[in-house]
């Protein structure tokens, strides 16, 4: 039942400003959960196998709370465009191709293989409007050993004819069928996924809200990413208080129902507080926000107000699956906000970005993202051999350096709920 001990240099978050750094320590795993980190092996665990990773850092697995699986194949293209033009030129044509089973199998196999060997252990992924292709993605992810959520995308308006569902009724019926077939999976669970308000009629939004409520399902979508998008929402929904209000009025965000809103670049304090009051996670996707010129999210305000939050690669708006890279970029763009826009919004610290990528994002999945007792044991064993330094560094310095230079680093091993993935 996944009982073992990992020995190494162990780093994990307790709070957004508390980082535990334990050199040459022992991480106890019992039945797939952490029993804590110790300087010596407690007597009751001395019969467990010891996995000796002396000299290597051991950190919690990372959570990617916003990734578009069908966009992975064309990441890095169209980065001179803004959101709405980019969707029309690249995203919609590419995603429409997943109606062909052979293409879906080939492209999703590439995505899942790379996600498996990335630092991500938990994920929330968008698929496409196609039920069969979405089930194919879920099956591949189920077999990878990773854990997370996948959403069949819903969109019945303001989309090209070749990539738009016939009606709200047809979209809702397809969603119900997909949910029934999703019951076969255990590691991968369904999440309700209206693409964003402009692509969903009121009838579809209300219907999805009812399905989410009836089946106790989480929800994922986009919020306040781009100025043109926000203006469009105002035209489409003139009676709504703001963009977030369109999800709340449809029952897609509510107290007790976890929901994810990616980007939130232009969310003001009112919208952020509405997110907090409705158990909604704000997901920071800094690379995408730069690549398609959306802007910089006010993450310090998120922290100050206390909204749930996490990080997203947002492939293919982002070009990499590495949440280590996303941590670094989150810190970089926070410095630009502080320097150029508002010196009251202090740059993000190492402790904060590491917490966002581990414990903060992991909380969407339950007790995940830390090595505190009772947490599911998702862990990465890091290899720093390709980033040598002429001096001995502290463990904190090594962690900071690995985050910044992660593309030169390697993962030796990866565990999800105590199960070794590789």
């Amino acid at each position: 039942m996944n009982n073992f001990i990992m020995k190494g240099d162990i780093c994990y978050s307790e709070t957004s400003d508390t980082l535990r750094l334990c050199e040459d320590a022992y991480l106890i795993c019992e039945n797939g959960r952490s029993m804590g980190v110790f300087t010596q092996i407690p007597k009751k665990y001395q019969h467990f196998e010891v996995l000796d990773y002396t000299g290597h850092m051991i950190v919690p697995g990372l959570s990617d709370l916003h990734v578009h699986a069908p966009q992975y194949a064309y990441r890095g293209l169209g980065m001179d465009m803004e959101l709405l033009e980019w969707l029309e030129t690249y995203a919609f044509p590419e995603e429409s191709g997943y109606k062909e089973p052979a293409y879906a199998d080939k492209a999703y196999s590439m995505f899942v293989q790379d996600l498996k060997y990335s630092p991500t252990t938990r994920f929330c992924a968008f698929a496409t409007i196609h039920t069969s292709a979405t089930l194919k993605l879920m099956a591949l992810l189920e077999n990878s050993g990773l854990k997370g959520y996948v959403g069949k995308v819903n969109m019945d308006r303001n989309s090209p004819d070749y990539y738009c569902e016939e009606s709200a009724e047809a979209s809702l019926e397809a969603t119900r069928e997909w949910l029934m077939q999703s019951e076969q999976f255990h590691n991968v669970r369904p999440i309700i996924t209206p693409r964003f308000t402009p692509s969903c009629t009121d009838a579809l939004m209300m219907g999805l809200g009812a399905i989410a409520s009836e089946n106790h399902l989480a929800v994922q979508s986009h919020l306040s990413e781009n100025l043109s998008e926000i203006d469009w929402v105002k035209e489409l929904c003139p009676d709504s208080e703001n963009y977030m209000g369109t999800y709340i009025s449809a029952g897609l965000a509510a107290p007790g129902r976890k929901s994810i809103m990616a980007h939130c670049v232009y969310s003001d304090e009112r919208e952020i507080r509405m997110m907090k009051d409705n158990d909604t996670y704000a997901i920071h996707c800094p690379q995408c926000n730069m690549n398609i010129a959306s802007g910089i999210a006010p993450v310090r305000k998120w922290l100050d107000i206390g909204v749930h939050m996490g990080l997203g690669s947002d492939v293919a708006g982002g070009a990499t699956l590495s949440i280590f890279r996303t941590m670094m970029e989150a810190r970089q763009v926070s410095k630009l906000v502080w320097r150029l826009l508002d010196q009251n919004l202090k740059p993000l610290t190492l402790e904060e970005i590491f917490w966002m990528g581990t414990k903060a994002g992991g909380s969407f999945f339950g007790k995940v993202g830390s090595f505190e007792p009772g947490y599911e044991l998702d862990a990465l064993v890091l290899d720093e051999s390709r980033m040598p330094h002429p001096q001995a560094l502290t463990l904190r310095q090594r962690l900071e350096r690995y985050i910044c230079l992660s593309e030169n680093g390697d993962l030796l091993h990866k565990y999800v709920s105590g199960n070794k993935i590789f």
Side-chain angles (χ1 to χ4, degrees):
M1 290 292 294
N2 300 332
N3 299 330
F4 56 84
I5 299 169
M6 302 175 77
K7 181 185 179 186
D9 298 330
I10 299 168
C11 312
Y12 64 98
S13 292
E14 291 181 325
T15 67
S16 63
D17 55 9
T18 305
L19 184 61
R20 287 291 307 277
L21 301 165
C22 310
E23 294 189 59
D24 203 26
Y26 298 90
L27 169 61
I28 312 296
C29 178
E30 184 174 32
N31 296 333
R33 290 187 177 271
S34 170
M35 296 295 104
V37 177
F38 303 87
T39 56
Q40 299 291 331
I41 301 174
K43 185 176 181 180
K44 66 181 293 187
Y45 301 118
Q46 288 182 356
H47 63 289
F48 284 10
E49 177 186 9
V50 177
L51 307 176
D52 192 348
Y53 300 127
T54 298
H56 294 292
M57 282 191 292
I58 302 172
V59 303
L62 309 187
S63 291
D64 186 346
L65 272 75
H66 186 62
V67 58
H68 291 264
Q71 297 179 6
Y72 185 68
Y74 73 92
R75 65 198 186 282
L77 297 177
M79 298 294 95
D80 56 346
M81 298 178 180
E82 290 192 53
L83 173 65
L84 299 181
E85 181 186 10
W86 184 79
L87 289 173
E88 292 286 346
T89 306
Y90 286 99
F92 294 160
E94 174 68 16
E95 292 184 25
S96 71
Y98 285 75
K99 64 180 179 292
E100 299 297 336
Y103 185 76
D105 185 64
K106 181 177 182 180
Y108 278 149
S109 295
M110 293 168 51
F111 168 74
V112 172
Q113 178 73 0
D114 287 356
L115 187 68
K116 177 177 178 177
Y117 290 97
S118 78
T120 294
T121 54
R122 306 278 173 148
F123 59 86
C124 289
F126 279 55
T128 64
I129 65 174
H130 311 103
T131 298
S132 61
T134 302
L135 292 167
K136 165 60 70 173
L137 173 61
M138 296 176 79
L140 290 168
L141 287 165
E142 178 81 10
N143 293 331
S144 74
L146 306 180
K147 290 190 173 184
Y149 293 89
V150 169
K152 176 209 159 308
V153 171
N154 299 93
M155 43 198 292
D156 69 336
R157 70 171 175 181
N158 295 324
S159 305
D161 291 341
Y162 60 82
Y163 191 53
C164 186
E165 294 174 293
E166 292 181 3
S167 65
E169 292 76 12
S171 180
L172 294 170
E173 181 58 31
T175 299
R176 293 187 188 97
E177 175 63 26
W178 162 66
L179 289 174
M180 289 181 58
Q181 295 191 54
S182 296
E183 293 176 0
Q184 63 186 294
F185 304 118
H186 303 285
N187 293 330
V188 181
R189 303 304 303 146
I191 184 169
I192 296 300
T193 307
R195 188 180 203 104
F196 63 163
T197 298
S199 69
C200 298
T201 60
D202 292 348
L204 179 54
M205 295 276 276
M206 294 294 291
L208 291 172
I211 289 175
S213 178
E214 291 163 8
N215 296 277
H216 308 289
L217 296 173
V219 174
Q220 62 178 351
S221 196
H222 299 85
L223 178 68
S224 298
E225 178 179 0
N226 174 276
L227 290 172
S228 298
E229 169 204 16
I230 294 169
D231 289 341
W232 198 8
V233 172
K234 289 178 181 177
E235 293 177 8
L236 292 168
C237 308
D239 296 330
S240 183
E241 177 180 351
N242 52 27
Y243 199 161
M244 183 63 189
T246 65
Y247 296 109
I248 294 172
S249 62
L252 290 162
R257 176 177 305 126
K258 289 190 294 187
S259 57
I260 284 175
M261 293 296 154
H263 302 291
C264 312
V265 173
Y266 296 98
S267 295
D268 58 16
E269 288 194 9
R270 171 61 180 157
E271 191 163 70
I272 297 169
R273 291 189 184 279
M274 290 170 70
M275 295 169 67
K276 179 182 179 182
D277 292 343
N278 287 277
D279 293 331
T280 298
Y281 281 65
I283 308 306
H284 188 28
C285 308
Q287 187 173 134
C288 175
N289 294 341
M290 291 184 286
N291 281 343
I292 55 177
S294 292
I296 304 174
V299 177
R300 177 60 61 191
K301 289 183 179 179
W302 301 357
L303 279 162
D304 291 345
I305 291 173
V307 69
H308 295 303
M309 66 178 67
L311 297 175
S313 65
D314 198 17
V315 164
T320 173
L321 291 172
S322 174
I323 297 299
F324 281 127
R325 171 82 175 268
T326 305
M327 290 181 194
M328 177 187 69
E329 290 162 342
R331 195 176 189 186
Q332 289 173 328
V333 298
S334 75
K335 293 178 181 178
L336 294 178
V337 171
W338 169 73
R339 175 60 67 190
L340 301 176
L341 299 178
D342 187 344
Q343 294 199 353
N344 292 317
L345 300 178
K346 296 179 180 179
L348 297 174
T349 65
L350 170 64
E351 286 77 8
E352 288 167 338
I353 60 172
F354 187 71
W355 170 80
M356 289 174 68
T358 56
K359 187 175 180 180
S363 68
F364 188 80
F365 307 93
K367 296 189 75 172
V368 172
S370 179
F371 294 145
E372 295 167 276
Y375 275 68
E376 292 186 60
L377 197 137
D378 290 10
L380 307 174
V381 182
L382 308 182
D383 182 4
E384 303 162 82
S385 61
R386 291 200 293 134
M387 48 180 77
H389 195 281
Q391 299 176 358
L393 300 176
T394 67
L395 184 50
R396 186 182 189 281
Q397 288 173 328
R398 287 167 59 195
L399 178 62
E400 182 173 32
R401 198 162 180 263
Y402 193 95
I403 290 171
C404 290
L405 305 179
S406 60
E407 291 186 349
N408 293 324
D410 293 304
L411 299 180
L412 284 180
H413 301 291
K414 180 174 179 176
Y415 296 80
V416 178
S417 295
N419 296 307
K420 189 175 183 180
I421 304 302
F422 63 83

